Structure formats: C-alpha cells, structure tokens
C-alpha cells in the first residue's frame, strides 16, 4: 500500500541443509602442534554394566527391569503384560535363553508382595492418620491381585517347552512358593502355586541319598533338604486342616510327587512328630486324615487320597528300588553322576519285590 513494498523475508537455514549440517558437525582443526596430549578420562556409565544386558533382550528383559524397580506402578505394569505374554508365548520360547533375568525378577517380586501383605500397619499417630484403614486395605488388595498375577505367570512359564526343567533347578522358586503356602488367605493363588509345584517337584535335583533327618530342620547344610522339609510341613498342614477343596487336592498331588521324588527322605519325614506338636507322628496323622478323605463324594479327592495311601504303603519298597536303580547307574555309567529322580511314577522293582503269581494254566513245554 501507498507504493511501499513489504520487506522480503529470507528463509532461515535449516540443520537439514547439507552445508549447514556440515558446518555444524565439522571439527575445527587444531593449530597448536606442540601442545601436550591430555589423557582421555573415561566417563562414568549412565547405566551400570550389570543392567546393560537387559537392554538387548527385547520386551521380556524390559519386564524384568520393571519387576526389579521396586516401583508399584512399574511392577503392576509388568505383571499385567507378562500374564498375557506368557500365555501366548510360542512353544520354543526359553526363559533362560530369551529372558535369563526374568525368573529371578519374578521370585523377587513374589517375595516383595508377600512382605507387603503381611506387613503390620504403622503404629505412630501421624502415619496412622496418613494410612487409614481404607488406604491400607486398598494397598493390600492391590498386592493380592499382583500376587495372583505372578502365580499365573509362573504357571504359564512352566507349561512352555523345557522351562519347567530350568525353573526346578533353582531352589529359591520352590522355597518362595512354600512361604506363600503359610498364609490363610489367597486360596486361588495358593492353589495355582500348588499346580506349579506339581510340575516342578519331579524335575528338581534330588538331595544326596545318605542324608537322614531326625527332626524338622531349621537350618541345614543342604538347601534341598531344608526346602523339602519345609514344604512337607506346609503340605501336611493343608491336608489335615484346610477346608478348601482346591488346596487339599493340590497338596495331596504334591505329596505323591514328593514321595516318588525322594522316598528315602519322605520315609524319615513321615516318622517325625507333627510340627508344633509332640504327641502324634506325621505318618499316623496323614493316615487318619486320608481315611476320612477316601469316604468323600468328590472323585478327584478320593483318587488323590488313594494314590497317596498307596505310595505311603509302598514307600519302603520305593526307597529300596531307587537305591538299587541308582547303584546300577553308578556302576554301569561313566557319566558325571547326574541324578535322575523317579518322575512321579510308581515303579515296581523286579529285583526287590517278587509278587506271588497264580499257577500257570499253560501246559509245560
């Protein structure tokens, strides 16, 4: 307007322009040729080396990092996605190959959740006001839901490929499950953990055959003996006192596996006094309880009770058969001595038990 022209605007140079980008990234040449070289100082890594390996394993290592973070939101996020991811994982997925840190992270999250549920409310007046009854109850419900998801994740992983074999080699898994069996609540979660034990126990490494126990060990030089003794105590308590069908059924099935897994140690435990009692033996108490369960109208309970009774009757024969089988393996094999437990199967040793057969009706010759 008025014959005046608007000043022309020039486009600003962009970092995407080749000359501009070259100028910005060009390193100026040094002019001082006689300057003393300064030794390079290695900068401290922003991420510790222990955690660098998490970054190359895909989403499952990301889940493991979240479980190890000790942040409730992160742990809940990982649990919700792991439950779905493990349910749809392919058959060839291996926890040790594709997520070597995940099992340790899950066990740690289970321990943290267990302590949150059993934590006593704060006693100070200020904290009591901040953590009211409704707030603490909500936190406990949140921890219980997280525990159920973690139990489902463990069960899903144990069903994929050879993961159960890998999980059974870590005694911390069975030990943490045993700690959860002590709680009165969490029926659904404890039932799912018993299903996990039903899969893991037959695959677990067997304690040395020469180990004998005369009382309930609080500490033992062999961790496997301590794990089995504590597991026996909790399973016996469930069978004898629980009114929940799923818990009783799961405990019966795991007891069958424990007798077949290591009948020598089971024989010793059945002769111990009932935990926190002195007037009754574990074997006699189980016999009395099983006599009641076989009269139940629940066919699954009756079947599991009868199977446990059969194993208890034949426990001496099972122990001798296993000794004989391992003795043969030790003398005929040049292997490193790897032990092969009886995988939950009732074997009739032909060398130790000779059953009287009816006279043959076939003609001689």
């Amino acid at each position: 307007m008025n014959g005046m022209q608007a000043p022309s605007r020039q486009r600003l140079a962009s970092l995407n322009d080749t000359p501009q980008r070259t100028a910005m990234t060009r390193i100026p040449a040094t002019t001082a040729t006689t300057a003393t070289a300064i030794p390079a100082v290695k900068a401290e890594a922003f991420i510790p080396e222990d955690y660098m390996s998490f970054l190359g394993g895909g989403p499952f290592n990301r889940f493991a990092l979240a479980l190890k973070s000790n942040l409730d939101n992160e742990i809940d996020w990982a649990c919700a996605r792991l439950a779905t991811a493990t349910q749809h994982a392919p058959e060839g997925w291996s926890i040790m190959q594709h997520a070597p840190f995940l099992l340790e992270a899950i066990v740690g999250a289970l321990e943290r959740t267990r302590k949150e549920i059993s934590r006593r409310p704060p006693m100070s007046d200020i904290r009591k006001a901040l953590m009211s009854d409704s707030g603490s109850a909500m936190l406990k419900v949140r921890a219980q839901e997280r525990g159920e998801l973690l139990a489902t994740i463990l069960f899903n992983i144990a069903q994929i490929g050879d993961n159960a074999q890998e999980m059974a080699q870590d005694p911390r898994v069975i030990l943490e499950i045993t700690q959860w069996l002590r709680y009165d609540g969490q029926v659904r979660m404890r039932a799912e953990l018993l299903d996990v034990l039903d899969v893991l126990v037959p695959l677990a490494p067997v304690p040395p055959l020469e180990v004998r126990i005369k009382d309930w060990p609080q500490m033992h030089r062999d961790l496997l003996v301590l794990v089995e003794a504590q597991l026996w105590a909790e399973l016996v308590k469930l069978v004898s006192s629980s009114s929940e069908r799923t818990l009783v059924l799961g405990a019966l099935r795991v007891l069958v596996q424990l007798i077949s897994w290591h009948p020598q140690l089971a024989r010793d435990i059945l002769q111990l006094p009932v935990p926190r009692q002195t007037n009754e033996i574990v074997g006699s108490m189980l016999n009395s309880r099983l006599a009641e369960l076989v009269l139940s109208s629940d066919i699954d309970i009756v079947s599991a009770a009868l199977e446990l009774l059969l194993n208890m009757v034949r426990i001496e024969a099972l122990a001798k058969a296993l000794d004989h089988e391992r003795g043969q393996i030790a003398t005929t094999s040049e292997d490193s001595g790897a032990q092969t437990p009886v995988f939950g199967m009732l074997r009739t040793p032909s060398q130790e038990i000779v059953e009287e057969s009816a006279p043959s009706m076939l003609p001689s010759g």
Side-chain angles (χ1 to χ4, degrees), residues 44-212:
E44 184 177 356
F46 179 73
I47 301 177
E49 293 183 0
D50 295 341
Y51 292 92
M52 286 298 294
S53 54
F54 282 97
L55 302 179
F60 284 98
N61 281 347
R62 170 68 179 89
F63 298 150
L65 274 176
L67 293 176
K68 284 176 169 286
S69 67
N70 284 330
L71 301 175
D72 290 338
N73 291 336
E74 285 287 311
I75 296 175
D76 293 341
W77 173 86
C79 289
R81 281 152 182 80
L82 267 173
T84 303
T86 54
Q87 183 179 3
H88 299 287
E91 187 66 22
W93 184 81
S94 170
I95 188 171
M96 291 303 170
Q97 181 180 358
H98 299 104
F101 307 96
L102 184 58
L103 183 59
E104 178 187 356
I106 292 174
V107 174
L110 272 172
E111 181 181 3
R112 181 181 186 272
T113 303
R114 173 170 53 83
K115 292 179 178 178
E116 284 184 5
I117 294 176
S118 60
R119 185 181 301 161
R120 295 181 178 179
M123 299 304 296
S124 64
D125 295 337
I126 297 178
R127 295 193 66 185
K128 189 179 297 184
L130 294 175
M131 294 288 295
S132 60
D133 293 338
S134 59
S136 60
M138 184 173 62
L139 291 177
K140 182 169 292 189
V141 169
R142 182 179 182 181
Q144 290 173 350
E145 293 175 352
R146 184 189 307 149
E148 291 181 359
L149 284 175
L150 289 169
T152 302
I153 292 165
L154 273 182
F155 181 77
N156 290 344
I157 294 175
Q159 302 299 312
I160 304 172
D162 298 328
N163 288 324
Q165 180 74 45
E166 301 290 346
M167 295 168 63
Q169 306 310 308
D170 191 345
R172 295 175 300 175
V173 179
I174 298 180
L175 190 60
E176 181 60 32
I177 292 176
T178 304
Q179 301 296 325
W180 274 97
L181 295 180
R182 296 178 177 177
Y183 289 96
D184 294 332
Q186 299 289 101
V187 174
R188 178 177 173 273
M189 177 184 178
R190 288 191 293 164
E192 197 153 24
L193 290 176
L194 286 171
D195 290 339
V196 175
L197 285 177
D198 196 15
V199 177
L200 298 187
V201 166
L203 305 175
V206 179
L209 295 179
E210 64 273 10
V211 173
R212 301 296 299 272

Side-chain angles (χ1 to χ4, degrees), residues 235-251:
L235 294 174
V236 168
K237 185 171 68 174
L238 282 177
V239 171
S240 59
S241 61
S242 178
S243 59
E244 295 289 341
R245 175 189 177 276
T246 54
L247 296 182
V248 174
L249 183 59

